[in-house]
Amino acid sequence: MGDELKTVKIGLLGFGVVGQGVWKNIEQNRSALETRLGVELNINKIVVRNLNRERLISVPETILTTNANEVLEDDSIDIICELIGGTDEALTYTEEALKRGKIVVSANKALICDHGESLFELARQHGGHYFYEASVAGGIPIIKTMREALIANRFSLIFGILNGTSNYILTRMEREGLSFEETLGDARKLGYVEADESLDLDGIDAAHKLVILNYLAHGIWVNLKDIICEGIRSISKEDIEIARQLGYKIKLIGVIARDFSHNSVSVRLHPALIAKTETLAEVNEVYNGVSVTGDVVGTTVLIGRGAGQDATSSSVISDIADAVSLLKGEASTGRHTSVDPKACPDEITLELSPPDRLEGRYYFRFHVKDEEGVLAEISNIFAKHHISFATVNQKELSDNSALIMVTTHKSSEVSVLAACEAVKQLGSFMADPVYLRIFNPEDYSA
Ligand code: HSE
């Protein structure tokens, strides 16, 4: 196509929140965007489920269709944006497009997490391209930053807040002393919670993004079932209050910690206490943040809107711009056009660290009968498992029960799990113990 390219044709699969955002923001900044890119952008087909649905953005009726083949089989369409979500039709359409050697732009983290390996392989085999900036952390340009700006680095530690909804809930609990249930109600009213609430509340959405970041950083795909993936449902206002008194905030974080000496990587997603002096501890409400430590650059932190129509469409449009460069032949080779962060030689044998190999400090909450000797029994069991308490707090409740909140010195996850099992057998427990990890990035410094 080279110099002759004047107009780039785009097909959208899906016209929900993100699709409408892409249309709206291309229209809003069309002049600047087209000047920068040197081509006209023409969204000339949009695939929808229902032609008659009321939409906030109106588009010419002639470009709407319910037939995905009108996009997939149209050779004049240069770029296909898959903005349907889910892993059913989205998978079929993406496979079909990549088999045809198309450029596909996607915001679909679940699809990439579950099928990325085969989709990138398809793209490779058929000369297609798969861009995915919007799949991780909404408007934060983390994919491009890691793939291009930080290419000089190997990454010892990446950690981040990758789910806006759970961050909103934790922020409101912390600021207003509310319970999880009270705050969840508000998050639902504001439309923040995914239709499948488990994606947000059980950490799955954030874990999808983490798996993609791990692939980008270390060239290997990990399966969600092989990593710790825990959400925020068990966090209580008492946990947040004690954490605050001890100088911590509770955040849902994803961690990718590479151990270069043993050629292993630990990938996990769970709530954690982090020191309130950490930059990410101040990432609140629906914002996301990612801290990337590279051996050359040191630590870089990116913070921004992790979800929502405009932020996500900003990333989709950035991928469209990269696709335009590719089509114009400006970027026909090189990493910034590539779909595939290939594994480095040592990553061929990179081992996923087993979940129970973790070590660190822990926080526990025990709900027990408020009777003599209970604390002694607990501390005996923990001592037998070589777990030493660092702090102890107790809150009396009105029903002759008490909450005991402790933090520990450095312990192993194996010991923690065993101690939890052992204390559950005590007759004095009103509920299973709750434990949270205390995350300190300095534990991972080289
Ligand atoms: N439910 C997601 C979030 C939307 O809250 O971050 C973006 O993936």
Side-chain angles (χ1 to χ4, degrees):
M1 288 185 191
D3 294 336
E4 288 165 21
L5 189 70
K6 296 276 192 295
T7 302
V8 167
K9 289 189 180 171
I10 301 165
L12 302 186
L13 301 174
F15 202 51
V17 173
V18 179
Q20 292 180 57
V22 170
W23 177 283
K24 179 185 84 175
N25 287 306
I26 286 181
E27 285 308 314
Q28 182 173 302
N29 288 343
R30 179 173 288 284
S31 164
L33 201 51
E34 291 183 342
T35 305
R36 289 171 188 156
L37 297 177
V39 296
E40 287 179 12
L41 297 176
N42 180 4
I43 299 179
N44 66 336
K45 218 29 119 185
I46 303 177
V47 180
V48 294
R49 283 211 181 86
N50 179 354
L51 292 173
N52 302 317
R53 191 173 138 198
E54 293 262 332
R55 296 184 174 86
L56 292 173
I57 301 290
S58 59
V59 298
E61 277 181 22
T62 50
I63 68 169
L64 293 178
T65 176
T66 55
N67 181 2
N69 288 335
E70 287 189 33
V71 168
L72 297 170
E73 294 175 2
D74 182 344
D75 287 339
S76 75
I77 290 181
D78 303 295
I79 302 168
I80 297 177
C81 298
E82 185 275 291
L83 307 171
I84 304 172
T87 54
D88 299 329
E89 285 170 309
L91 175 62
T92 312
Y93 297 159
T94 304
E95 285 177 340
E96 183 58 29
L98 293 174
K99 277 183 200 160
R100 289 168 177 269
K102 296 276 193 186
I103 300 174
V104 178
V105 170
S106 176
N108 192 335
K109 57 254 172 187
L111 183 72
I112 301 173
C113 175
D114 290 354
H115 300 282
E117 188 164 17
S118 63
L119 291 175
F120 287 127
E121 181 57 30
L122 261 189
R124 208 171 15 242
Q125 280 171 10
H126 298 274
H129 289 266
Y130 196 33
F131 289 96
Y132 53 104
E133 183 64 70
S135 67
V136 179
I140 300 177
I142 183 65
I143 304 287
K144 203 177 276 203
T145 299
M146 287 180 60
R147 196 176 56 203
E148 297 174 28
L150 300 182
I151 191 169
N153 294 269
R154 308 214 65 200
F155 303 107
S156 53
L157 179 65
I158 299 165
F159 71 101
I161 295 169
L162 297 169
N163 181 265
T165 305
S166 49
N167 204 34
Y168 169 83
I169 291 172
L170 292 174
T171 303
R172 292 273 317 272
M173 288 174 73
E174 175 205 321
R175 286 184 180 160
E176 298 168 47
L178 298 172
S179 69
F180 170 75
E181 287 75 17
E182 285 169 307
T183 322
L184 174 59
D186 282 354
R188 283 186 184 128
K189 279 187 209 145
L190 288 163
Y192 288 166
V193 191
E194 302 265 357
D196 176 358
E197 296 194 343
S198 180
L199 290 172
D200 287 326
L201 305 180
D202 296 319
I204 301 165
D205 169 79
H208 286 150
K209 298 165 184 167
L210 194 69
V211 167
I212 297 170
L213 286 184
N214 182 62
Y215 170 61
L216 197 56
H218 303 302
I220 62 163
W221 289 101
V222 301
N223 196 317
L224 277 197
K225 71 173 172 40
D226 297 328
I227 66 172
I228 293 169
C229 177
E230 295 167 7
I232 60 166
R233 291 186 205 258
S234 66
I235 310 289
S236 72
K237 54 187 177 187
E238 287 82 7
D239 300 330
I240 290 179
E241 173 54 21
I242 296 296
R244 188 192 63 74
Q245 288 175 22
L246 297 173
Y248 296 105
K249 297 239 188 142
I250 298 181
K251 294 288 184 189
L252 181 70
I253 57 167
V255 180
I256 301 170
R258 176 84 184 259
D259 177 345
F260 286 101
S261 54
H262 296 96
N263 202 22
S264 66
V265 64
S266 170
V267 181
R268 57 191 199 265
L269 190 289
H270 53 71
L273 282 72
I274 61 172
K276 63 183 177 196
T277 48
E278 280 295 323
T279 306
L280 288 191
E282 279 309 315
V283 174
N284 289 316
E285 303 187 6
V286 291
Y287 277 74
N288 283 192
V290 188
S291 170
V292 182
T293 301
D295 54 351
V296 182
V297 72
T299 297
T300 302
V301 181
L302 291 90
I303 296 168
R305 291 182 193 275
Q309 182 175 69
D310 291 332
T312 308
S313 62
S314 171
S315 287
V316 172
I317 295 168
S318 136
D319 279 348
I320 291 173
D322 276 357
V324 169
S325 297
L326 192 65
L327 290 162
K328 288 175 75 180
E330 292 170 355
S332 55
T333 58
R335 193 171 167 88
H336 58 302
T337 67
S338 168
V339 293
D340 184 18
K342 289 190 177 58
C344 305
D346 60 340
E347 288 166 353
I348 308 281
T349 54
L350 180 62
E351 182 206 350
L352 179 65
S353 189
D356 62 5
R357 201 186 284 167
L358 285 181
E359 283 192 347
R361 287 176 175 249
Y362 288 79
Y363 162 91
F364 288 88
R365 167 169 34 96
F366 307 120
H367 186 192
V368 292
K369 291 179 189 160
D370 198 355
E371 292 168 350
E372 62 190 33
V374 171
L375 182 56
E377 281 180 327
I378 296 171
S379 83
N380 270 336
I381 289 176
F382 274 65
K384 273 191 200 136
H385 288 87
H386 309 289
I387 298 172
S388 157
F389 291 161
T391 65
V392 181
N393 288 269
Q394 179 161 326
K395 180 176 177 183
E396 274 185 278
L397 301 179
S398 53
D399 60 353
N400 291 329
S401 71
L403 296 175
I404 300 173
M405 279 78 82
V406 306
T407 62
T408 72
H409 292 293
K410 194 169 182 182
S411 312
S412 74
E413 182 106 352
V414 174
S415 306
V416 164
L417 294 174
C420 279
E421 279 310 307
V423 291
K424 275 193 221 168
Q425 311 309 320
L426 296 175
S428 47
F429 267 68
M430 313 279 289
D432 283 349
V434 170
Y435 71 92
L436 298 170
R437 299 166 188 91
I438 300 177
F439 175 72
N440 180 0
E442 284 173 18
D443 290 346
Y444 301 88
S445 48

